[in-house]
Amino acid sequence: MSEPEPSTASHQNYRRSLGTISLTAVGLGSIIGSGWLFGAERAARLAGPASILAWVIGAAVALTIALTYSELGSMFPKAGGMVRYGQYSHGSLAGYLAAWANWIAIVSVIPGEATASVQYMSSWDFGWAKALYDGQELSVSGVALASVLLLVYFALNWFAITMFAKTNTAITVFKVVVPALTAGALLFAHFDTAHFTDHGGFAPNGWSAVFTAVATSGIVWAFNGFQSPLNLAGEARNPGKSLPKAVISSILIALVIYIALQVAFLGAVPNEGLANGWGGLGYTSPLADLAMAWGLNWLAMLLYADAFVSPSGTGMIYAATTSRMIHGVQENGHLPKVFGKVDAKTGIPRPALVLNLVVAFLFLAVFRGWGSLAEIVSVATVISYITGPVAVMALRRLAPDLKRPVRLRAMPVIAPIAMVFGSLVLYWAKWPLTGKVILLMAAGLPIWAFYELRKPWAELKPHLKAGAWMIAYLFVMAGVSWAGSTDYGGRGDLPEGWDLLIVAAIALAFYYWGVASAWANPSLAAVRRELAEAEQPADEPVEAARV
């Protein structure tokens, strides 16, 4: 099978109509989805008042990793950017694993948002509504209603990117106003400062619980939305300026909102709700339940309405971004050509939309609760993060001449720190969850093998050699998680404290191995030609660019 060639024709069908405000709305709209409806309660259940710090740590991790991807996104302003960078730096094996992890993490968010809406609806005081959710997962009727929401998300993406941009910006404004209003209303209704010192103190379950909250309570799930502007880079008017502004602004704005919500939630929980400590919390619709407890019926009604608007807005965004990711995977050479087609009239990759809709239905059938989906998404997301820090520095070595509209002088320091942060979050997710998600990553390898193992050995060998670091990383991290301290679900072979230092050392070792193993593969050569052709004046022969 031949190496992937640039597909400029399909990319010309995209409409470069998204500016900084629209892209920021995309990022913020992705971050403020269902996470704000459930994240505060789940984080408090794990970490108590120290959950405030969990949000700060999560934002720091996301921001550090986002800086590496901002440089890559400005270099390669192509649709589905997040699934391409590993391919450009390391070839097909590492590129495919990174793309698979990233796609799994994002496409599974879509049914998660639909599940969140239905789960909140189950608190309505109607028999049919209460039958939607049994306290653990959606019922048959709940799955049916969530399926209808999935169809709505994809229908809104079927027609045109301009409609998507206008709709999403309006929804995002609503999504920012309602959480801010919720935090303010709960703070004024009831705020018990004793909650921050009683019931086990500020960190009742220790600092390991704070770190686990970052990984599994929906914090990584929420901040993962910074990817959405990067995946829509092919539709940005001025990606060099707008992408980094959109990514960084969306993370910082969301952090302020999430901290306000977490503080308000901690202070508003009734004393009887803490009879069994923070770990005894078990709200079905956390913020709405608190609003009702303090007589804020108007706020509860608003929250029930926003339980549709916020997750639906995020689901709509992710339906858009995952279709661009599928386009990117197809151009990497790992899907049939039909999934690379973009409708010339609307600028929408419709076959990719259909594929993602089918996969979203499969996830909804298997994972019927928001919590179970949040855990899977969060860990898969972290696995996809590790290629950014490695790829950005590898491409500085391989292609120093490529135009970099965003170039940070501190990147040689930021990139290894980002790798360490990502690896720590993966470890914090606890065994056996880490092992399950790594197994899910391995489940995608047969697709890679179908396309790649037909190549001659001489052609395949450098791809295997350059991707070996990533395969080894996944196995080593699974082993460390299994043998790690009991605080993180391990056997206890690694003592507490030392285990984090060991994970950091492993992360740095694989970071330097990954950077050193990158090579000037055919995908990088292909995108070089594409970028050169795009910069040529309209009346200049294309062949000049190739020379």
Side-chain angles (χ1 to χ4, degrees):
M1 178 181 173
S2 61
E3 295 291 344
E5 289 292 328
S7 180
T8 56
S10 63
H11 283 278
Q12 289 170 355
N13 289 334
Y14 283 119
R15 305 288 186 263
R16 290 197 175 271
S17 58
L18 302 181
T20 301
I21 294 177
S22 294
L23 287 169
T24 302
V26 167
L28 194 56
S30 298
I31 294 173
I32 302 178
S34 60
W36 83 272
L37 295 168
F38 295 98
E41 191 257 359
R42 287 182 64 85
R45 192 190 305 173
L46 286 170
S51 54
I52 299 169
L53 298 180
W55 287 101
V56 176
I57 295 170
V61 171
L63 189 58
T64 306
I65 293 171
L67 290 173
T68 67
Y69 280 109
S70 292
E71 177 170 320
L72 294 167
S74 68
M75 287 174 65
F76 308 110
K78 293 165 65 70
M82 292 288 290
V83 302
R84 298 175 183 272
Y85 310 136
Q87 181 94 7
Y88 296 154
S89 60
H90 288 79
S92 69
L93 179 56
Y96 175 81
L97 285 172
W100 174 261
N102 199 270
W103 176 66
I104 287 292
I106 299 299
V107 76
S108 54
V109 170
I110 304 171
E113 300 303 308
T115 299
S117 291
V118 176
Q119 189 169 323
Y120 245 72
M121 186 192 294
S122 68
S123 292
W124 293 4
D125 195 18
F126 299 104
W128 64 267
K130 294 185 180 298
L132 297 172
Y133 181 71
D134 65 7
Q136 297 294 327
E137 61 180 24
L138 299 185
S139 64
V140 174
S141 60
V143 171
L145 183 55
S147 299
V148 173
L149 290 177
L150 289 182
L151 292 172
V152 172
Y153 302 163
F154 284 89
L156 290 172
N157 275 279
W158 187 263
F159 298 103
I161 188 64
T162 51
M163 178 185 294
F164 163 81
K166 292 176 181 178
T167 305
N168 178 64
T169 302
I171 290 175
T172 300
V173 171
F174 186 74
K175 290 170 67 173
V176 171
V177 170
V178 174
L181 184 62
T182 301
L186 289 176
L187 285 169
F188 280 106
H190 182 82
F191 190 75
D192 193 336
T193 56
H195 288 177
F196 293 84
T197 55
D198 297 346
H199 310 289
F202 185 72
N205 299 317
W207 292 104
S208 62
V210 177
F211 298 141
T212 299
V214 174
T216 63
S217 68
I219 294 175
V220 169
W221 162 298
F223 285 118
N224 186 41
F226 80 80
Q227 297 189 35
S228 293
L230 298 172
N231 283 320
L232 292 174
E235 288 130 293
R237 283 197 297 267
N238 188 347
K241 292 183 178 180
S242 59
L243 285 177
K245 289 180 180 178
V247 169
I248 295 170
S249 297
S250 59
I251 291 174
L252 296 179
I253 294 171
L255 174 62
V256 173
I257 294 172
Y258 275 119
I259 288 179
L261 283 166
Q262 188 68 63
V263 171
F265 178 87
L266 293 167
V269 175
N271 286 327
E272 57 269 22
L274 293 174
N276 297 317
W278 292 104
L281 294 176
Y283 294 111
T284 300
S285 307
L287 298 173
D289 291 345
L290 289 186
M292 295 290 286
W294 300 114
L296 301 175
N297 295 340
W298 63 270
L299 179 60
M301 295 300 102
L302 184 61
L303 285 167
Y304 287 136
D306 192 66
F308 276 98
V309 175
S310 286
S312 295
T314 301
M316 182 180 70
I317 294 169
Y318 277 65
T321 57
T322 51
S323 64
R324 277 68 175 175
M325 294 168 74
I326 285 294
H327 187 180
V329 173
Q330 187 279 319
E331 285 198 351
N332 286 347
H334 299 130
L335 281 175
K337 290 183 178 180
V338 65
F339 296 114
K341 292 184 177 180
V342 179
D343 185 76
K345 293 182 179 180
T346 62
I348 302 296
R350 286 177 168 172
L353 269 176
V354 173
L355 175 62
N356 282 323
L357 177 59
V358 172
V359 175
F361 278 132
L362 292 175
F363 268 98
L364 182 60
V366 176
F367 302 101
R368 298 185 177 188
W370 186 89
S372 58
L373 267 167
E375 291 180 346
I376 294 292
V377 170
S378 298
V379 181
T381 295
V382 172
I383 292 175
S384 71
Y385 280 170
I386 65 170
T387 54
V390 172
V392 70
M393 292 308 299
L395 288 167
R396 283 195 176 189
R397 176 175 65 83
L398 292 175
D401 57 308
L402 284 181
K403 184 179 178 180
R404 288 170 170 80
V406 177
R407 182 185 176 94
L408 298 179
R409 292 183 179 179
M411 189 60 74
V413 176
I414 293 172
I417 291 175
M419 182 72 171
V420 170
F421 279 174
S423 300
L424 285 172
V425 174
L426 179 59
Y427 178 69
W428 295 340
K430 288 190 173 183
W431 183 268
L433 180 60
T434 48
K436 291 178 181 178
V437 177
I438 289 173
L439 183 63
L440 182 61
M441 297 304 101
L445 284 175
I447 300 175
W448 174 85
F450 175 79
Y451 285 98
E452 298 293 326
L453 293 186
R454 291 178 289 178
K455 295 179 178 179
W457 173 248
E459 186 179 338
L460 179 62
K461 182 179 178 180
H463 292 274
L464 296 175
K465 183 178 179 181
W469 72 273
M470 195 166 181
I471 297 289
Y473 173 85
L474 293 176
F475 277 108
V476 170
M477 285 301 299
V480 170
S481 181
W482 172 75
S485 71
T486 55
D487 286 340
Y488 300 105
R491 285 164 38 92
D493 296 336
L494 302 179
E496 182 182 357
W498 286 101
D499 57 340
L500 301 184
L501 292 176
I502 291 171
V503 170
I506 289 171
L508 290 174
F510 278 101
Y511 165 79
Y512 290 109
W513 179 9
V515 172
S517 65
W519 64 299
N521 63 83
S523 292
L524 179 59
V527 77
R528 275 180 174 276
R529 293 196 299 272
E530 184 177 341
L531 293 174
E533 290 170 7
E535 291 182 358
Q536 295 305 306
D539 57 349
E540 185 173 335
V542 171
E543 286 304 315
R546 295 185 181 276
V547 175

